Amino acid sequence: MLEIAKQAVDTATASGASYADARVIERESQNIQTKGMNVSGLNLGNSYGLGIRVLCNGGWGFAATQDLTREGIDKAARKAVEIARASARCMEKPIELAPEPAHKAVWKSPCKIDPFTVSIEDKLAVLFKTAETMLAVKGVTLAQTDMTFIKEHKLFVSSEGAEIDQTFIRSSCGLTANATDDHDRQKRSYPNSFGGQHENAGWEMVGRWDLPGNAQRIAEESVQLLKAPQCPHGVGTVIIGASQLGLQIHESCGHPSELDRALGQEINFAGASFLTPDLLGHLKYGSPIVNLVADATATGALGGFAYDDEGVEAQCVPLVKDGMFVGYLSSRDTANLIGIKRSGGAMRAESWHHQPIIRMTNISLRPGTAGSLADLIANTSDGIYFDTNKSWSIDDRRYNFQFSTEAGYKIKNGKIVGLLKNASYGGITTEFWNSCDAICSQDYVDWGVPNCGKGQPSQTMWTGHGAAPARFRNVQYGIAHS
């Protein structure tokens, strides 16, 4: 891999590039899905290729290839230089990169048990035991389970002298119970919706989340939702569960804090951001207890790494400090545009054939002092607790949002007194975060989102969102059925 990457960089610089970096990536993947007591999906994949990015005359160029012969590598490198020369003619001013040391490192994500050493039969045994337990609950009409494993070996080399070798193991598992009667259909998922929980971890995470041990409880709740009353419409106190809050952070803080969006570079596809540079250091984004960070150093979380895809070392960057908007997700070329001395290390690409762009790392809400979820509910006289995302909607500036969850729980005098179906809430991002008056110190989880979409051509990315349950006042709820 090192020889391939070095040849690409050498050819690019010999062809006129003032800077070049190359990523050689080998990936193995496995996805297993079940419906009922049948295997509904078994997808095995392998990928190996080279992506090279260059600066020439102040413009970017990128090319990629799976032809890793000497001729194929040279052809891709020269193509990248050719594209850079063409793009330079359209630049208002030349690209300048913020400085970064030329790191040389070898790193592996945390993993106790390589999931590719566990047989497919053993994985199916866990999934079928989970499905069987859900289907034994009267009223459950469909049981679905899911596991995904990815092993990725990535080598980064730059013309500045960087050589970075990283290996990632990503694992996920989840279940969904669907209940149906003559009038309605409801579902409950665990540990999270849309495929479950996703981590930089090995097979050990499957045992930790214990799908079979939680299957009956989740299945019973899906059936109970059929007879539950609708979430009422009103304005009041809400408690947002940790996994739902993770997605809230993703949509209403993560995306708007991407500096390329804030600068308008993504406006024709992914959208813009209400967090424009003139607000940096001046906008009261949330209440004083709200502290949000982009923490790539949380290496067990799905958005963790040691170095990003332009060789910048992982950092924990404050985005919101004591309620004030103070930082962006940035890259070496965008950092200079707003006077930041160093990139925040947020450049990543989905694969070897995608160009790195600014992506979320682990955008997380720091824990507060409100104890556990049980403590927070006990200290709430009247409200609704929202748990597990079902759908979401937010405008292209990430300001006006609506979310629905699989379940709502009515709170009266510090106790849960009933289940609510079709629960939903909405608001304005800054009003919402300024209404936060309590964040739990316990029940914190680094939730993983494996399919964040962005870019043109579109690419997906693994992001993480640490969150504990939190309470918000004067929030509009029940909007989906008002």
Side-chain angles (χ1 to χ4, degrees):
M1 295 177 85
L2 182 59
E3 184 178 341
I4 293 169
K6 282 188 170 180
Q7 183 190 333
V9 168
D10 290 346
T11 300
T13 52
S15 301
S18 56
Y19 168 86
D21 60 40
R23 290 171 296 115
V24 183
I25 299 175
E26 183 175 20
R27 181 182 298 166
E28 179 180 7
S29 62
Q30 181 182 88
N31 173 250
I32 308 171
Q33 297 177 333
T34 68
K35 280 187 177 180
M37 294 301 292
N38 299 302
V39 177
S40 59
L42 175 57
N43 296 301
L44 310 178
N46 288 281
S47 175
Y48 187 36
L50 161 74
I52 179 163
R53 187 181 67 147
V54 308
L55 266 179
C56 188
N57 299 337
W60 279 123
F62 175 77
T65 184
Q66 282 186 293
D67 180 359
L68 301 181
T69 62
R70 292 194 68 83
E71 293 77 15
I73 296 166
D74 287 346
K75 183 179 179 181
R78 290 174 185 137
K79 185 70 173 178
V81 174
E82 181 183 343
I83 293 170
R85 285 200 174 99
S87 65
R89 291 198 290 269
C90 305
M91 301 294 293
E92 291 184 359
K93 59 181 181 179
I95 296 287
E96 294 183 15
L97 301 181
E100 180 69 19
H103 302 284
K104 294 181 183 289
V106 176
W107 178 85
K108 294 183 179 181
S109 64
C111 174
K112 293 180 180 177
I113 303 171
D114 184 342
F116 290 91
T117 66
V118 179
S119 70
I120 290 177
E121 289 77 11
D122 285 347
K123 292 165 181 168
L124 283 172
V126 174
L127 297 180
F128 281 140
K129 183 179 179 182
T130 302
E132 185 177 28
T133 303
M134 287 191 282
L135 291 169
V137 175
K138 186 178 180 181
V140 171
T141 51
L142 177 63
Q144 296 171 284
T145 66
D146 193 305
M147 285 183 185
T148 298
F149 305 98
I150 298 170
K151 182 188 292 184
E152 181 181 83
H153 182 199
K154 176 164 52 182
L155 180 70
F156 174 90
V157 168
S158 79
S159 58
E160 294 174 335
E163 291 181 14
I164 301 168
D165 187 314
Q166 299 184 93
T167 301
F168 297 84
I169 300 285
R170 303 183 178 103
S171 301
S172 72
C173 64
L175 66 85
T176 300
N178 297 269
T180 309
D181 63 14
D182 292 339
H183 309 287
D184 199 2
R185 184 177 70 178
Q186 296 288 331
K187 69 175 183 179
R188 286 292 279 138
S189 304
Y190 173 86
N192 202 354
S193 49
F194 305 110
Q197 168 66 338
H198 308 257
E199 300 176 0
N200 277 349
W203 173 251
E204 67 277 3
M205 69 86 70
V206 176
R208 176 156 37 83
W209 285 103
D210 187 16
L211 299 187
N214 287 277
Q216 181 173 340
R217 174 179 62 83
I218 294 297
E220 289 173 347
E221 196 159 72
S222 72
V223 177
Q224 293 165 12
L225 278 169
L226 293 172
K227 304 298 183 187
Q230 291 275 8
C231 175
H233 174 60
V235 176
T237 299
V238 303
I239 293 175
I240 308 298
S243 66
Q244 170 58 27
L245 195 56
L247 188 62
Q248 177 84 48
I249 293 166
H250 179 103
E251 301 293 350
S252 67
C253 180
H255 277 306
S257 63
E258 294 163 343
L259 185 51
D260 53 352
R261 292 181 70 118
L263 293 171
Q265 297 175 359
E266 285 283 324
I267 200 167
N268 63 336
F269 183 66
S273 171
F274 73 96
L275 292 175
T276 49
D278 58 302
L279 299 177
L280 190 64
H282 303 291
L283 176 69
K284 189 173 180 294
Y285 177 95
S287 68
I289 64 171
V290 174
N291 290 281
L292 290 150
V293 296
D295 187 4
T297 67
T299 52
L302 194 64
F305 49 81
Y307 299 88
D308 77 354
D309 284 342
E310 58 179 3
V312 176
E313 190 169 17
Q315 301 161 51
C316 181
V317 178
L319 302 177
V320 174
K321 183 174 177 56
D322 301 330
M324 297 299 294
F325 167 49
V326 296
Y328 279 113
L329 292 154
S330 60
S331 58
R332 292 184 68 183
D333 57 355
T334 58
N336 278 327
L337 297 177
I338 62 167
I340 301 174
K341 293 183 179 179
R342 186 189 182 198
S343 163
M347 286 288 271
R348 292 194 291 159
E350 177 185 330
S351 72
W352 55 267
H353 54 87
H354 290 91
Q355 184 170 0
I357 57 176
I358 293 176
R359 305 309 306 260
M360 290 180 235
T361 55
N362 299 304
I363 313 303
S364 301
L365 176 67
R366 292 299 197 202
T369 60
S372 65
L373 172 60
D375 294 332
L376 189 57
I377 291 172
N379 290 320
T380 302
S381 59
D382 184 71
I384 298 175
Y385 164 47
F386 292 83
D387 189 39
T388 313
N389 183 262
K390 187 159 66 174
S391 68
W392 67 95
S393 174
I394 189 166
D395 67 39
D396 64 346
R397 296 178 66 238
R398 304 284 152 171
Y399 203 52
N400 190 338
F401 65 82
Q402 300 177 39
F403 288 95
S404 67
T405 59
E406 291 183 351
Y409 303 85
K410 180 65 179 171
I411 301 170
K412 272 289 183 185
N413 300 319
K415 295 182 179 178
I416 288 178
V417 295
L419 190 60
L420 302 170
K421 66 181 176 183
N422 302 327
S424 60
Y425 68 96
I428 303 296
T429 294
T430 49
E431 292 177 2
F432 177 79
W433 285 105
N434 273 284
S435 75
C436 181
D437 77 339
I439 304 170
C440 288
S441 52
Q442 302 173 34
D443 300 316
Y444 180 95
V445 175
D446 284 311
W447 297 100
V449 173
N451 53 358
C452 173
K454 188 183 172 187
Q456 195 176 34
S458 179
Q459 51 178 300
T460 60
M461 185 46 63
W462 302 277
T463 70
H465 305 288
R471 187 173 63 195
F472 301 80
R473 304 289 192 180
N474 300 315
V475 174
Q476 191 174 31
Y477 55 77
I479 54 176
H481 291 270
S482 61

